[in-house]
C-alpha cells in the first residue's frame, strides 16, 4: 500500500510540475486585417483552389480598386489566352458577423458563381471559402500582375 501511495504522490508531482511549465510561445503569423475595400485593394494571384494548386501554366490575377469598388481579373483557366473580366465587388457582413465578398461582371455576364466568406486576411494572403461549400477554398497571395499578362489582355480587347 505504501508503494502505491508513493507512486501516486510521484505521479501527482509530475503532473503538477508539467502544469507549471512556462508555455512555449507559438510563432504568430501576420496580423489579421479587417475585411474592407481598403485592405483588399491591390493585386492578388490565386495560389490554390479547392486546397490544391492550379493546373500548370494556369493563372488568375485579380486587382481590386478601393475607390470605386471595381475589379479587373486576368485569367487563362478557361482559355489558352489571357481573358480579362471586369466588374464590381461588394463586401458585406453576414448575420454571423463574417465578411462576405461577392461580385458581378460587366457587360451582362452575370454574378460570380459564389459568395465567399473571407476566412483570413493579412497584408499578404487572403483566404476565401464559398458559402455553403467548405471544400471550396481559395487562397490568394499578394502579387504584381506581370506586364506581359496585363499587356496581352489589353491587346486582345
Amino acid at each position: 500500500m505504501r508503494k502505491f501511495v508513493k507512486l501516486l504522490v510521484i505521479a501527482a508531482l509530475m503532473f503538477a510540475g508539467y502544469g507549471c511549465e512556462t508555455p512555449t510561445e507559438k510563432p504568430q503569423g501576420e496580423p489579421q486585417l479587417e475585411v474592407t475595400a481598403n485592405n483588399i485593394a491591390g493585386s492578388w494571384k490565386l495560389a490554390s483552389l479547392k486546397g490544391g494548386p492550379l493546373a500548370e501554366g494556369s493563372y488568375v490575377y485579380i486587382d481590386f480598386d478601393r475607390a470605386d469598388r471595381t475589379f479587373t481579373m486576368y485569367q487563362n483557366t478557361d482559355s489558352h489566352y489571357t481573358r480579362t473580366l471586369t466588374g464590381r465587388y461588394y463586401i458585406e457582413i453576414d448575420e454571423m458577423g463574417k465578411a462576405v465578398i461577392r461580385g458581378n461582371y460587366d457587360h451582362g455576364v452575370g454574378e460570380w458563381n459564389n459568395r465567399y466568406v473571407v476566412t483570413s486576411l493579412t497584408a499578404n494572403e487572403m483566404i476565401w471559402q464559398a458559402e455553403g461549400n467548405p471544400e471550396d477554398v481559395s487562397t490568394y497571395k499578394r502579387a504584381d500582375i506581370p506586364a506581359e499578362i496585363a499587356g496581352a489582355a489589353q491587346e486582345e480587347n
Side-chain angles (χ1 to χ4, degrees), residues 12-64:
L13 289 173
M14 283 177 47
F15 284 118
Y18 178 77
C20 293
E21 287 182 19
T22 305
T24 57
E25 290 291 319
K26 291 185 179 179
Q28 296 294 318
E30 290 185 79
Q32 290 293 308
L33 303 174
E34 182 180 357
V35 180
T36 65
N38 190 54
N39 287 338
I40 70 165
S43 303
W44 300 83
K45 181 179 183 183
L46 182 62
S48 70
L49 181 63
K50 296 184 180 179
L54 275 66
E56 188 173 334
S58 294
Y59 55 82
V60 175
Y61 289 92
I62 189 166
D63 184 58
F64 291 101

Side-chain angles (χ1 to χ4, degrees), residues 1-98:
M1 183 68 162
R2 282 181 107 173
K3 280 188 176 183
F4 178 72
V5 172
K6 193 175 189 178
L7 284 174
L8 213 55
V9 169
I10 291 172
L13 289 173
M14 283 177 47
F15 284 118
Y18 178 77
C20 293
E21 287 182 19
T22 305
T24 57
E25 290 291 319
K26 291 185 179 179
Q28 296 294 318
E30 290 185 79
Q32 290 293 308
L33 303 174
E34 182 180 357
V35 180
T36 65
N38 190 54
N39 287 338
I40 70 165
S43 303
W44 300 83
K45 181 179 183 183
L46 182 62
S48 70
L49 181 63
K50 296 184 180 179
L54 275 66
E56 188 173 334
S58 294
Y59 55 82
V60 175
Y61 289 92
I62 189 166
D63 184 58
F64 291 101
D65 184 281
R66 167 185 61 82
D68 60 1
R69 306 286 199 283
T70 59
F71 68 89
T72 303
M73 182 185 304
Y74 305 93
Q75 57 98 356
N76 72 346
T77 58
D78 59 359
S79 171
H80 179 68
Y81 302 101
T82 300
R83 281 193 347 130
T84 304
L85 301 165
T86 59
R88 294 194 166 282
Y89 70 92
Y90 308 90
I91 298 171
E92 304 163 344
I93 304 300
D94 71 7
E95 62 279 351
M96 301 295 288
K98 297 178 183 174

